[in-house]
Every structure is written in structure tokens, then in C-alpha cells.
Coordinates of all heavy atoms in Angstrom, one line a residue:
N25 N -94.8 57.1 131.4 CA -96.0 57.9 131.0 C -95.6 59.1 130.2 O -96.5 59.7 129.6 CB -96.8 58.3 132.2 CG -97.6 57.1 132.8 OD1 -98.7 56.8 132.4 ND2 -97.0 56.5 133.8
L26 N -94.3 59.4 130.1 CA -93.8 60.5 129.3 C -93.4 60.1 127.9 O -93.3 60.9 127.0 CB -92.7 61.2 130.0 CG -93.0 62.1 131.2 CD1 -91.7 62.5 131.9 CD2 -93.7 63.4 130.7
E27 N -93.1 58.8 127.8 CA -92.6 58.3 126.5 C -93.7 57.9 125.5 O -94.7 57.3 125.8 CB -91.8 57.0 126.7 CG -90.5 57.1 127.5 CD -89.9 55.8 127.9 OE1 -90.7 54.8 127.8 OE2 -88.7 55.8 128.2
P28 N -93.5 58.3 124.2 CA -94.4 57.9 123.2 C -94.3 56.3 123.0 O -93.2 55.8 123.2 CB -93.9 58.6 121.9 CG -93.1 59.7 122.4 CD -92.5 59.2 123.7
A29 N -95.4 55.7 122.7 CA -95.4 54.2 122.6 C -94.5 53.8 121.5 O -93.8 52.7 121.6 CB -96.8 53.7 122.3
F30 N -94.4 54.5 120.4 CA -93.5 54.0 119.3 C -92.1 54.1 119.6 O -91.3 53.3 119.1 CB -93.8 54.9 118.0 CG -93.1 56.3 118.0 CD1 -91.9 56.5 117.6 CD2 -93.8 57.4 118.6 CE1 -91.3 57.7 117.6 CE2 -93.3 58.6 118.6 CZ -92.0 58.8 118.1
Y31 N -91.7 54.9 120.6 CA -90.3 55.0 121.0 C -89.9 53.7 121.8 O -88.9 53.1 121.6 CB -90.1 56.2 121.9 CG -88.7 56.4 122.5 CD1 -87.6 56.3 121.7 CD2 -88.6 56.5 123.9 CE1 -86.3 56.5 122.3 CE2 -87.3 56.7 124.5 CZ -86.2 56.6 123.6 OH -85.0 56.8 124.2
R32 N -90.8 53.2 122.6 CA -90.6 52.0 123.3 C -90.5 50.8 122.4 O -89.7 49.9 122.5 CB -91.6 51.7 124.4 CG -91.6 52.7 125.6 CD -92.4 52.2 126.7 NE -93.8 52.1 126.4 CZ -94.7 53.2 126.5 NH1 -94.2 54.3 127.0 NH2 -95.9 53.0 126.1
A33 N -91.4 50.8 121.3 CA -91.4 49.7 120.4 C -90.1 49.7 119.6 O -89.6 48.6 119.3 CB -92.6 49.9 119.4
I34 N -89.5 50.8 119.3 CA -88.3 50.8 118.5 C -87.0 50.6 119.3 O -86.2 49.7 119.1 CB -88.1 52.1 117.7 CG1 -89.3 52.3 116.7 CG2 -86.8 52.2 117.0 CD1 -89.3 53.6 116.0
F35 N -86.9 51.4 120.4 CA -85.7 51.3 121.2 C -85.7 50.2 122.2 O -84.6 49.8 122.7 CB -85.6 52.7 122.0 CG -84.2 52.9 122.6 CD1 -83.1 52.8 121.8 CD2 -84.1 53.3 123.9 CE1 -81.8 53.0 122.3 CE2 -82.9 53.5 124.4 CZ -81.7 53.4 123.6
G36 N -86.9 49.7 122.6 CA -86.9 48.7 123.6 C -86.3 47.3 123.2 O -85.9 46.5 124.1
A37 N -86.1 47.1 121.9 CA -85.5 45.8 121.5 C -84.0 45.9 121.4 O -83.4 44.9 121.0 CB -86.1 45.5 120.1
T38 N -83.4 47.0 121.7 CA -82.0 47.2 121.6 C -81.3 47.1 122.9 O -81.9 47.5 123.9 CB -81.6 48.5 120.9 OG1 -82.0 49.6 121.7 CG2 -82.4 48.6 119.5
R39 N -80.0 46.7 122.9 CA -79.3 46.6 124.2 C -78.8 48.0 124.6 O -78.4 48.2 125.7 CB -78.1 45.7 124.0 CG -78.4 44.2 124.1 CD -77.2 43.4 124.1 NE -77.5 42.0 124.4 CZ -76.6 41.0 124.6 NH1 -75.3 41.3 124.6 NH2 -77.0 39.8 124.8
E40 N -78.8 49.0 123.7 CA -78.3 50.3 124.0 C -79.2 51.0 125.1 O -78.8 51.9 125.7 CB -78.3 51.2 122.7 CG -77.2 50.9 121.8 CD -77.4 49.6 121.0 OE1 -78.5 49.0 121.1 OE2 -76.5 49.2 120.3
R41 N -80.4 50.4 125.3 CA -81.2 51.0 126.3 C -80.7 50.7 127.7 O -81.1 51.4 128.7 CB -82.7 50.5 126.2 CG -82.8 49.0 126.6 CD -84.2 48.4 126.3 NE -84.2 47.0 126.5 CZ -84.5 46.4 127.7 NH1 -84.6 47.2 128.8 NH2 -84.5 45.1 127.8
G42 N -79.8 49.7 127.8 CA -79.3 49.3 129.1 C -78.6 50.5 129.8 O -77.7 51.1 129.2
G43 N -78.9 50.8 131.0 CA -78.3 51.9 131.8 C -78.9 53.3 131.4 O -78.4 54.2 132.0
N44 N -79.8 53.3 130.5 CA -80.4 54.6 130.2 C -81.5 55.0 131.2 O -82.5 54.3 131.2 CB -81.0 54.6 128.8 CG -81.5 55.9 128.3 OD1 -81.6 56.9 129.1 ND2 -81.8 56.0 127.0
P45 N -81.2 56.0 132.1 CA -82.2 56.3 133.1 C -83.5 57.0 132.6 O -84.4 57.3 133.3 CB -81.4 57.2 134.1 CG -80.4 57.9 133.2 CD -80.1 56.8 132.1
F46 N -83.4 57.3 131.3 CA -84.5 58.1 130.7 C -85.3 57.2 129.7 O -86.0 57.7 128.8 CB -84.0 59.3 130.0 CG -83.2 60.2 130.9 CD1 -81.9 60.4 130.6 CD2 -83.7 60.7 132.0 CE1 -81.1 61.2 131.4 CE2 -83.0 61.5 132.9 CZ -81.6 61.8 132.6
F47 N -85.2 55.9 129.8 CA -86.0 55.0 129.0 C -86.5 53.9 129.9 O -85.8 53.3 130.7 CB -85.1 54.3 127.9 CG -85.9 53.3 127.1 CD1 -86.8 53.6 126.2 CD2 -85.7 51.9 127.4 CE1 -87.5 52.6 125.5 CE2 -86.4 50.9 126.8 CZ -87.3 51.3 125.8
V48 N -87.8 53.6 129.8 CA -88.5 52.6 130.6 C -89.4 51.7 129.6 O -90.2 52.3 128.9 CB -89.3 53.2 131.7 CG1 -90.0 52.1 132.5 CG2 -88.4 54.0 132.6
Q49 N -89.2 50.4 129.7 CA -90.0 49.5 128.8 C -91.4 49.3 129.4 O -92.3 49.1 128.6 CB -89.2 48.2 128.6 CG -89.9 47.2 127.7 CD -89.9 47.8 126.3 OE1 -89.1 48.5 125.8 NE2 -90.9 47.3 125.5
Q50 N -91.5 49.2 130.7 CA -92.8 49.0 131.3 C -92.9 49.7 132.7 O -91.9 49.9 133.3 CB -93.1 47.5 131.5 CG -92.0 46.8 132.3 CD -92.3 45.3 132.4 OE1 -93.2 44.8 131.7 NE2 -91.5 44.6 133.2
Q51 N -94.1 50.1 133.0 CA -94.3 50.9 134.2 C -94.4 49.9 135.4 O -94.5 48.7 135.2 CB -95.5 51.7 134.2 CG -96.8 51.0 134.0 CD -98.0 52.0 133.9 OE1 -97.9 53.1 134.3 NE2 -99.0 51.6 133.2
P52 N -94.2 50.4 136.7 CA -94.3 49.5 137.8 C -95.6 48.7 137.8 O -96.7 49.2 137.5 CB -94.2 50.4 139.0 CG -93.5 51.6 138.5 CD -93.9 51.8 137.0
S53 N -95.5 47.4 138.3 CA -96.6 46.6 138.4 C -97.5 47.0 139.5 O -97.2 47.8 140.4 CB -96.2 45.1 138.6 OG -95.5 45.0 139.8
V54 N -98.7 46.4 139.5 CA -99.7 46.7 140.6 C -99.1 46.2 141.9 O -99.3 46.8 143.0 CB -101.0 46.0 140.3 CG1 -102.0 46.2 141.5 CG2 -101.7 46.6 139.0
A55 N -98.4 45.0 141.9 CA -97.8 44.5 143.1 C -96.8 45.4 143.7 O -96.7 45.6 144.9 CB -97.2 43.1 142.8
F56 N -96.0 46.1 142.8 CA -95.0 47.0 143.3 C -95.7 48.3 143.9 O -95.2 48.8 144.9 CB -94.0 47.4 142.2 CG -93.0 48.3 142.7 CD1 -91.8 47.9 143.3 CD2 -93.1 49.7 142.5 CE1 -90.8 48.7 143.8 CE2 -92.1 50.6 143.0 CZ -91.0 50.1 143.6
I57 N -96.7 48.7 143.3 CA -97.4 49.9 143.8 C -98.0 49.6 145.2 O -97.9 50.4 146.1 CB -98.5 50.4 142.8 CG1 -97.9 50.8 141.5 CG2 -99.4 51.5 143.4 CD1 -98.9 51.2 140.4

């Protein structure tokens, strides 16, 4: 909820996001909540 949507669109397709604790592609599902 802190990330701009365009940031996820650009960075989400790269492997460099792996292990980055400050990047999230999707928020927790309703089932997880």
C-alpha cells in the first residue's frame, strides 16, 4: 500500500526483486487475512 503502482509494473517483472524486503508484488489475500 506504500508502493506506487507503476513501480510494481516495472520492477515486478525482474528477478532483482527477489529477496528485496521493500518490494511486494501483491498484498495478502483475503484467505490469508
